[in-house]
Amino acid sequence: MRHWLIIAAITALGIVRTQAQVEIFIDESAKSDTVIVFGVTTFNRPLTRSFTVRNATDSTVRIVPSRTDISGQQSPVVNEFEGLFSNEDISPQTTRSLNVRYRADVAFFPADSVAEVRLVLDVLRLPSQSPIQRKVLILRGLKTGNVLGTVQRHVRFDSVYLATPMARQVTYTVQNLLPVRFPVVSQRLLLRTPSLGPQEIQVDTFARVEFPERGAIDWKVSYRPLDRGRDSADFELRYVNADNVRDTIVMTRISGVGVEQRIDIVGASASGVSSPIVVAQPDTVIVSDVLAGSVVNLNVRLRNAGNADVHIDSIVVVPIKGQGAFTLSRFATSIGIDRTDTVSVGFAPSQRGECIARLDVFTDLLRRGFGDVPSEAARRSLIVIGRARSSVKVVPEPLSLGPVIVSSTCSNEASAQVEISNLGNTDIRVDSVTVSPPDAGITVTPQQYLLPAGAVRTLQCSFRAGFPGRITGDVVLHSTGVEPRRPIPFVATAISADTLALHTVADASARPGSVVAVPVVVGSGFVRGLQRASLFVNFNPSVAAIIDLQRQGTASATALASIDARPQGAVVDLRDDAGFGEGDTLITLRMRLFLGDSSSTRVVINPDNSTVGLAECPDLLPLRVRAGRVSIDSVCGLSYKTAVSGLKTFRAGVLPNPAFDGATVAVIAQQGSVMSVDVLDALGRPCVQTMQVVCTDAITTATIDVSMLPPAAYAVVVRMGDGMQTIPLVVQR
């Protein structure tokens, strides 16, 4: 145990010695800062600042200073600053503070220009004088003859990523060099580049502000770019100076560059045994018409559409549909601004269908120092879609079998032919044919055959229904070719010979000459797959007639249709060898209304004279029906009588007739005409009070109350001037 403790102590000592170093810093709390800001002073009024050297080694070190201008050259500006030390020796485990002075001497550097100098500090180990490290500090100051001054003549936001969650901020400081207070008159931000949306450069100004004696004021300057490119503005500060009127403005330039990393697809090409079709979009590549079992190399050209160099760390293929169909064979590592490079992706579909993958392009954006960059910005996702076709062409596809009626009176078997074509350049040997699900009742012949390249073969398919319903599945060809499994989708339909309920649905009231729609609705059962329907529609031909059929949106949308008028209505005949489709409505009757001998008519399918079924079994399903009704407007559904009054004629009618509690008198006459209406019994005696009617419409109506009259025959007398019309009326109870 003791030995282990000694080893641990030696190890810990070694770690401590390894970690020992010489630290040079300006601020203990922000050791990464390298700029010593002296601020603003007047001519020949020097300023002194300090930095700290901490020697944590076990040797004495020597600090050797040197100065150059900001470009690394010797120039007059270096004389503006001096170190108040020469070669300084720092003992082991010692911390020292060293001073630097800004002379502010007008003889060395012009006034009102920010002076910047690089102070290079070489650290040597003594006594060997071997170099340990080098530290570079930036010294910055400004001398002026003005009242106010700032070393921040240009506030720069070098590169800020677009639409970062938080704006980047800096502090802009202006100093008062005199022991006098100065009020600020105005603070204005003057934009130099236009902004269509929210303002990208902002300065937090004060409502009222005054410079203290030899004091400073800080403004918060923020930048949040919304688009790529350079933005700039001027911040103008006006103040009152009673002694020197010209020194009333301090102007500072603010600029920034909005940075966006963007990778777009600008083109793509493919090579392989087939001739695929390639379509490129900014974020998607679609390659189609690829032969299943072959390999296609897809070259995707990427363009750097942003304004920062793209450094790619990796590209990951993420399958979305079709595992393993896409592989990455080459990708670019860096793309310059507005330059392109190519990513190669292999597409090897094992069977026909669509495969989708996502290419996630990961870059070093988060490590580039662009500030608060959203994490998702370092990843660009591109979509690759591949569509493969089979080397075996099938016509028709999908295969449709039926409908088959499960009935003891009709055949419950259907057959179809399928053409198989080999589109590849190698022979295909089909070893077997299977059906999924196995109990679908479908058989295919032949089961085994050789299909040479470019050859065509016909298969016989039959479907025997064991139960009603709709079956979907695949007929699968198993072969030794590049596509070992070739599914052919099928749909097989079997219909039960159950009672079919058809309802004529309408409760319409319209004027003569109008057209109403009467849907024939499937109340129960279903019509999908049926091929024939002969419907005898009963209605009163004096009131209505079927003028045409509306098939769009109904189960008989593709059927051939005809209308045959009959004394008691019409026969509607529907024929569709492919079978009726899905739908709650079999057909919609369009009926025109007339002035007839009744005010309404029932519209009903006669089940005794109507048939529904298949081509070989047209009268297959028993029918159950329910009637609808269409009505003529109450002012029109009656027979009119015409009378003459001078040069004028008028027509009058009574509805209903016979009447029970009330009757309506309808008059067609010139507007403004005045009529009188009387009801007389068989002896000519008035039975109700005479009514005066003024014709205000093309058809004017008046209601007669006959509820108090005994059942009998009466006469309704309508007079206009010297013209009169008598209409018989029967009252019943």
Side-chain angles (χ1 to χ4, degrees), residues 583-595:
D584 297 331
T585 301
L586 175 60
I587 193 72
T588 298
L589 313 176
R590 286 172 49 82
M591 305 185 72
R592 189 180 300 279
L593 306 184
F594 306 103
L595 288 174

Side-chain angles (χ1 to χ4, degrees), residues 144-203:
T144 180
N146 298 328
V147 173
L148 302 182
T150 177
V151 296
Q152 297 167 279
R153 292 298 182 89
H154 193 162
V155 178
R156 290 183 174 90
F157 297 91
D158 291 334
S159 297
V160 181
Y161 204 79
L162 299 190
T164 54
M166 298 294 293
R168 187 179 293 185
Q169 281 192 343
V170 298
T171 300
Y172 169 63
T173 303
V174 178
Q175 293 177 263
N176 178 9
L177 305 178
L178 298 181
V180 181
R181 303 178 70 87
F182 291 103
V184 175
V185 176
S186 66
Q187 311 154 71
R188 292 199 306 164
L189 183 66
L190 309 173
L191 297 178
R192 297 174 59 87
T193 53
S195 178
L196 299 179
Q199 191 168 305
E200 296 167 305
I201 298 176
Q202 294 187 352
V203 178

Side-chain angles (χ1 to χ4, degrees), residues 248-330:
T248 59
I249 296 178
V250 175
M251 185 78 76
T252 294
R253 175 67 49 84
I254 304 170
S255 65
V257 178
V259 174
E260 181 187 26
Q261 177 178 275
R262 179 169 178 172
I263 304 172
D264 284 344
I265 298 172
V266 293
S269 61
S271 59
V273 295
S274 58
S275 300
I277 301 171
V278 181
V279 177
Q281 301 170 356
D283 60 353
T284 305
V285 172
I286 303 172
V287 55
S288 56
D289 202 29
V290 177
L291 197 63
S294 65
V295 178
V296 169
N297 188 47
L298 190 61
N299 295 314
V300 182
R301 196 162 72 254
L302 303 181
R303 174 177 174 265
N304 181 354
N307 61 341
D309 290 344
V310 173
H311 302 151
I312 298 176
D313 289 339
S314 63
I315 298 180
V316 179
V317 180
V318 181
I320 298 175
K321 181 180 180 183
Q323 295 291 327
F326 294 98
T327 56
L328 185 68
S329 57
R330 177 192 179 277

Side-chain angles (χ1 to χ4, degrees), residues 51-86:
F51 61 91
T52 301
V53 179
R54 178 175 294 157
N55 180 9
T57 70
D58 293 334
S59 303
T60 301
V61 298
R62 176 169 293 168
I63 308 299
V64 180
S66 61
R67 290 166 294 159
T68 64
D69 63 20
I70 203 66
S71 64
Q73 305 296 319
Q74 291 291 330
S75 64
V77 71
V78 301
N79 297 319
E80 283 280 70
F81 300 90
E82 62 178 349
L84 300 181
F85 62 95
S86 53

Side-chain angles (χ1 to χ4, degrees), residues 424-505:
N425 53 9
T426 59
D427 296 348
I428 297 175
R429 179 178 296 279
V430 176
D431 299 321
S432 63
V433 179
T434 60
V435 178
S436 177
D439 60 349
I442 296 175
T443 58
V444 181
T445 56
Q447 291 276 314
Q448 296 178 341
Y449 52 90
L450 178 66
L451 190 63
V456 179
R457 180 129 192 179
T458 301
L459 305 183
Q460 300 291 333
C461 302
S462 63
F463 168 51
R464 178 172 291 275
F467 51 86
R470 186 171 183 264
I471 306 172
T472 59
D474 294 308
V475 174
V476 184
L477 308 181
H478 301 272
S479 70
T480 56
V482 294
E483 191 177 4
R485 187 177 183 276
R486 172 60 160 96
I488 305 172
F490 71 82
V491 178
T493 305
I495 302 174
S496 177
D498 293 335
T499 299
L500 178 65
L502 296 178
H503 304 157
T504 46
V505 180

Side-chain angles (χ1 to χ4, degrees), residues 133-423:
Q133 68 184 67
R134 169 176 285 185
K135 180 77 171 184
V136 178
L137 301 178
I138 303 298
L139 311 179
R140 183 181 298 156
L142 174 73
K143 60 177 178 289
T144 180
N146 298 328
V147 173
L148 302 182
T150 177
V151 296
Q152 297 167 279
R153 292 298 182 89
H154 193 162
V155 178
R156 290 183 174 90
F157 297 91
D158 291 334
S159 297
V160 181
Y161 204 79
L162 299 190
T164 54
M166 298 294 293
R168 187 179 293 185
Q169 281 192 343
V170 298
T171 300
Y172 169 63
T173 303
V174 178
Q175 293 177 263
N176 178 9
L177 305 178
L178 298 181
V180 181
R181 303 178 70 87
F182 291 103
V184 175
V185 176
S186 66
Q187 311 154 71
R188 292 199 306 164
L189 183 66
L190 309 173
L191 297 178
R192 297 174 59 87
T193 53
S195 178
L196 299 179
Q199 191 168 305
E200 296 167 305
I201 298 176
Q202 294 187 352
V203 178
D204 293 341
T205 56
F206 302 97
R208 294 184 62 184
V209 64
E210 186 179 65
F211 278 94
E213 300 176 5
R214 297 193 184 279
I217 299 177
D218 294 337
W219 281 266
K220 292 294 184 182
V221 181
S222 60
Y223 178 52
R224 185 174 184 267
L226 301 178
D227 51 14
R228 296 193 301 266
R230 183 174 297 277
D231 302 291
S232 63
D234 290 329
F235 183 55
E236 179 190 88
L237 184 66
R238 289 181 177 270
Y239 61 96
V240 175
N241 179 10
D243 298 330
N244 190 350
V245 177
R246 70 178 182 87
D247 296 331
T248 59
I249 296 178
V250 175
M251 185 78 76
T252 294
R253 175 67 49 84
I254 304 170
S255 65
V257 178
V259 174
E260 181 187 26
Q261 177 178 275
R262 179 169 178 172
I263 304 172
D264 284 344
I265 298 172
V266 293
S269 61
S271 59
V273 295
S274 58
S275 300
I277 301 171
V278 181
V279 177
Q281 301 170 356
D283 60 353
T284 305
V285 172
I286 303 172
V287 55
S288 56
D289 202 29
V290 177
L291 197 63
S294 65
V295 178
V296 169
N297 188 47
L298 190 61
N299 295 314
V300 182
R301 196 162 72 254
L302 303 181
R303 174 177 174 265
N304 181 354
N307 61 341
D309 290 344
V310 173
H311 302 151
I312 298 176
D313 289 339
S314 63
I315 298 180
V316 179
V317 180
V318 181
I320 298 175
K321 181 180 180 183
Q323 295 291 327
F326 294 98
T327 56
L328 185 68
S329 57
R330 177 192 179 277
F331 69 88
T333 56
S334 63
I335 308 175
I337 299 173
D338 205 29
R339 295 186 176 274
T340 62
D341 209 328
T342 301
V343 172
S344 297
V345 180
F347 176 46
S350 59
Q351 61 183 16
R352 68 175 186 144
E354 185 177 77
C355 302
I356 304 175
R358 190 178 72 239
L359 301 183
D360 285 339
V361 183
F362 294 93
T363 70
D364 67 345
L365 183 63
L366 300 181
R367 306 192 302 273
R368 297 280 294 277
F370 290 143
D372 190 13
V373 179
S375 58
E376 62 272 13
R379 183 187 70 183
R380 174 70 160 122
S381 294
L382 308 173
I383 300 297
V384 182
I385 300 174
R387 293 169 182 155
R389 60 179 174 87
S390 174
S391 58
V392 177
K393 181 181 179 181
V394 179
V395 178
E397 187 176 14
L399 175 62
S400 179
L401 293 166
V404 172
I405 302 297
V406 182
S407 169
S408 59
T409 60
C410 279
S411 170
N412 61 345
E413 183 173 315
S415 61
Q417 289 186 338
V418 178
E419 279 193 353
I420 307 294
S421 304
N422 183 356
L423 303 180

